[in-house]
């Protein structure tokens, strides 16, 4: 139960404090009575009170100044100050921990901050589009030297610069910039995104280069950054009196064994001093720090590079993966990367079985339909879980079930893609700990459960679809008017595909992606050839097949439609499903237009997975009519297993056998009146589709 404290809007749930404030009514775009809810991620009540008071003050300022116009320049300056202050607070925490560990006056800590700071300053000045080599006549090197950066630190700055540049070029970075400028109410334009990125790096650089208070204990004469010469100073030359004359180092004894006159009390010659100066440096700390000496024996890949590695995996899989499979794999990798970053994992060598378990729990705590929302697809792992919490609260208020947590089948699919990705990394020599999905992957449903998962509509269930305005007459050719009664009957995918799905039970993409070359004729009638074409591929080898054209399709004028489309020069049999602006999935386009038609015709009786259920319904109807399951599988493009005769010794059912089997499905379209062919106006005139949008094309590519 939430416990309130004396600070307004501050409550405690368990050990964590939350700031929960009512949104002022001046924010007209928010629903009246809605609240802001923010976890402060702290359990100390004094610290929570301080943060709560600051948030209350900021909310009051927003309320009073909500209608004041603010220039972009001023907004960017506020963004800069915000990033700088956040970075200073983070660095102060690091500095405090360094003091606790006895490194409060360590010059190395100061130099590390300065090296990263100058790397960020380079990105702020030169941007992320160009890559600076910091060698020779590079303008970035000239900038550093002009500003007094020691040449001995350029290598370290280069390493930090390349690391920051890699992050800035990652796909998720621009999404982070978009969220940042949205937070500061800056107009989302390409120019403002570039300005915001520069300000962000400039703010980080300002915080990192401000070392006066954070490193006040450091002796500035020890660093070349601050006027000293530590990097070129010999230990022996600096403190010659500390070399004990009676007990020389072992290296000195070895160096002098071949000398006859010098004794242990003799001060070494200059060349011996140079030799002694090298001896303590034979095992220095590596510059890679976080990777430690582990990298000497193994290769790792940075978490920030996971998406590039996934692109390599997709390229390696080639035609074995369909575009949808590749998108699913990339979505999984991005999600896994976000979970790893959240828990401080920097490279593949740090991934443990524990992190795979964290990913499994993450699947339970995110919105079920997160992949369908462009806004949620760019969210980090904590943000997704916070979004799920909002859905739970809304569901509790409305006493409904919250759509949170991925389905078991989806989780199994994600774990399959994760296994592919981890094997890819391991196969390329990157260090990956042995993992297991035992106890994490949901069990595969039993055969009895699988049979009950999908509703199998009977012919009587399907028949109302063919009484819709699509077949009886619509008000117009536009999407909304096709569902309203009228006098126009148009012949397109929305008219013919439901008939084909009902009588033949194909996969959605198989028929939506047909071309005019996929229609043929034999002695008994017309034939539909299911094969890979220039529009789409097939799911499996057994998907390639020939199907007899249903007689009802011929009666309803499909052959005339086919000749009309071919005469106009179209390659696609259903051109209304294709955009001139993007390479869209025709099956998805048909789904978007046909589902509202089904919903209007079936009402509350509409079943789940509506179009795919027609495939199940056809198979079940034929089985109940006595058709062999092997023949049904051949019609559906599946391969029955468990029978050597069916898989090895025989070919798929021929067209005569298929025609006989398909005749067992009752005619439920007899009530449709055949009309003269009337194409969609823009199809007949070979014009671009009215629903195509270039913005959708760009959004699809970005996602």
């Amino acid at each position: 139960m939430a416990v309130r404290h004396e600070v307004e809007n501050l409550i405690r749930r368990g050990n964590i404090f939350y700031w929960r404030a009512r949104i002022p009514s001046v924010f007209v775009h928010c629903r009246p009575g809605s609240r802001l809810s923010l976890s402060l991620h702290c359990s100390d009540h004094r610290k929570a009170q301080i943060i709560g008071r600051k948030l209350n003050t900021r909310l009051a300022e927003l309320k009073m100044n909500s209608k004041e116009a603010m220039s972009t320049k001023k907004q960017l300056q506020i963004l800069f100050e915000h990033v700088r202050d956040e970075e200073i607070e983070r660095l102060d925490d690091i500095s405090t921990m360094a003091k606790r560990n006895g490194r409060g006056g360590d010059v190395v800590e100061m130099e590390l901050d300065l090296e990263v700071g100058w790397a960020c300053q380079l990105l702020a000045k030169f941007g992320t589009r160009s890559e600076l080599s910091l060698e020779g006549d590079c303008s970035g090197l000239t900038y550093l030297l002009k500003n007094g950066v020691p040449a001995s630190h350029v290598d370290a700055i280069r390493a930090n610069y390349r690391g920051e540049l890699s992050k800035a070029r990652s796909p998720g970075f621009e999404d982070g910039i978009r969220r940042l400028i949205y937070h500061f109410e800056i107009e989302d334009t390409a120019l403002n995104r570039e300005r915001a990125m520069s300000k962000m790096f400039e703010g980080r650089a300002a915080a990192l280069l401000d070392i006066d208070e954070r490193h006040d204990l450091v002796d500035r004469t020890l660093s070349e950054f601050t006027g000293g010469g530590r990097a070129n100073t010999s230990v022996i030359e600096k403190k010659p009196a500390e070399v004990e004359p009676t007990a020389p180092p072992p290296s000195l004894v070895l160096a002098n064994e071949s000398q006859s006159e010098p004794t242990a009390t003799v001060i070494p010659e200059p060349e011996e001093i140079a030799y002694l100066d090298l001896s303590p440096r034979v095992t220095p700390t590596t510059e890679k720090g976080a990777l430690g000496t582990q990298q000497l024996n193994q290769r790792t890949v940075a978490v920030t590079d996971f998406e590039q590695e996934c692109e390599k995996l997709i390229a390696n899989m080639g035609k074995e993966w369909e575009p949808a499979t590749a998108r699913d794999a990339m979505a999984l990798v991005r999600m896994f990367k976000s979970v790893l970053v959240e828990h401080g994992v920097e490279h593949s060598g740090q991934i443990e079985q524990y992190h795979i378990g964290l990913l499994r729990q993450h699947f339970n705590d995110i919105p079920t339909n997160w992949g369908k929302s462009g806004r949620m697809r760019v969210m980090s792992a904590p943000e997704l879980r916070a979004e799920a919490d909002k859905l739970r609260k809304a569901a509790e208020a409305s006493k409904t079930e919250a759509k949170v947590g991925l389905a078991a089948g989806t989780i199994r699919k994600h774990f399959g893609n994760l296994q592919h990705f981890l094997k890819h990394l391991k196969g390329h020599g990157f260090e990956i700990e042995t993992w297991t999905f035992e106890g994490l992957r949901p069990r595969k449903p039993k055969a009895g459960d699988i049979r009950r998962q999908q509703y199998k509509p009977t012919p009587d269930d399907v028949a109302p679809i063919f009484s819709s305005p699509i077949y009886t007459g619509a008000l117009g050719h536009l999407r909304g008017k096709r569902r309203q009664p009228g006098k126009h009957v148009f012949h397109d995918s929305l008219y013919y595909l439901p008939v084909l799905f009902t009588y033949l039970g194909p996969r959605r993409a198989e028929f939506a992606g047909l071309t005019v070359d996929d229609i043929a004729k034999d002695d008994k009638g017309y034939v539909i050839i299911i094969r890979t074409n220039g529009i789409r591929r097939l799911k499996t080898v057994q998907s390639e097949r020939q199907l007899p054209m249903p007689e009802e399709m011929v009666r309803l004028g499909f052959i005339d439609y086919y000749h009309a489309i071919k005469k106009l020069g179209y390659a696609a049999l259903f051109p209304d499903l294709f955009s001139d602006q993007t390479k869209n999935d025709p099956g998805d386009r048909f789904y978007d237009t046909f589902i509202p038609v089904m919903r209007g015709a079936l009402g509350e009786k509409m079943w789940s997975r509506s179009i795919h259920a027609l495939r199940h319904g056809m198979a079940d109807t034929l089985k109940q009519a006595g058709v062999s399951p092997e023949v049904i599988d051949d019609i559906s493009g599946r391969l029955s297993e468990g029978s050597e005769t069916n898989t090895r010794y025989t070919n798929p059912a021929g067209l005569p056998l298929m025609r006989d089997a398909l005749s067992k499905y009752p005619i439920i379209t007899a009530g449709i009146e055949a009309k003269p062919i009337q194409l969609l106006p823009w199809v007949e005139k070979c014009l671009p589709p009215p629903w195509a949008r270039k913005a959708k094309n760009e959004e699809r590519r970005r996602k």
Side-chain angles (χ1 to χ4, degrees), residues 612-665:
H612 187 73
L614 296 174
R615 178 172 167 84
H616 289 251
M618 184 277 299
D620 180 62
T621 301
L622 295 186
K623 180 180 178 180
Q624 304 307 324
V627 178
S628 166
E630 289 80 6
V631 175
I632 297 174
D633 283 347
D634 290 338
I635 293 172
S636 302
R638 294 188 295 267
L639 184 62
S640 300
E641 298 181 359
S643 170
E644 189 77 4
T645 300
N646 189 55
T647 57
R648 184 184 295 273
Y649 288 93
T650 61
N651 290 320
L655 287 171
L657 184 56
M658 286 187 179
R659 285 191 174 98
D660 181 65
L662 291 170
S663 67
K664 305 293 178 62
Y665 196 100

Side-chain angles (χ1 to χ4, degrees), residues 138-203:
C138 174
S139 57
L141 178 61
T142 303
Y143 173 80
L144 292 177
L145 298 179
K146 183 179 179 181
N147 284 274
V149 175
S152 60
H153 288 272
V154 170
D155 288 342
I157 293 173
R158 183 189 298 112
N160 283 291
Y161 167 77
R162 288 175 177 171
E164 295 293 336
L165 182 63
S166 176
K167 294 178 184 177
R169 289 180 174 178
S170 63
F173 183 81
E174 186 172 351
D175 295 328
I177 292 293
R178 289 177 185 273
R179 292 197 297 269
L180 193 62
I181 64 177
Y182 174 80
H183 177 75
F184 286 93
E185 300 178 352
I186 301 172
E187 185 181 0
D188 187 4
T189 64
L191 181 61
N192 283 343
R193 288 197 296 272
E194 188 67 24
R195 288 169 174 167
M197 183 209 66
S198 296
K199 285 295 182 182
M200 189 192 73
F201 281 114
E202 187 180 337

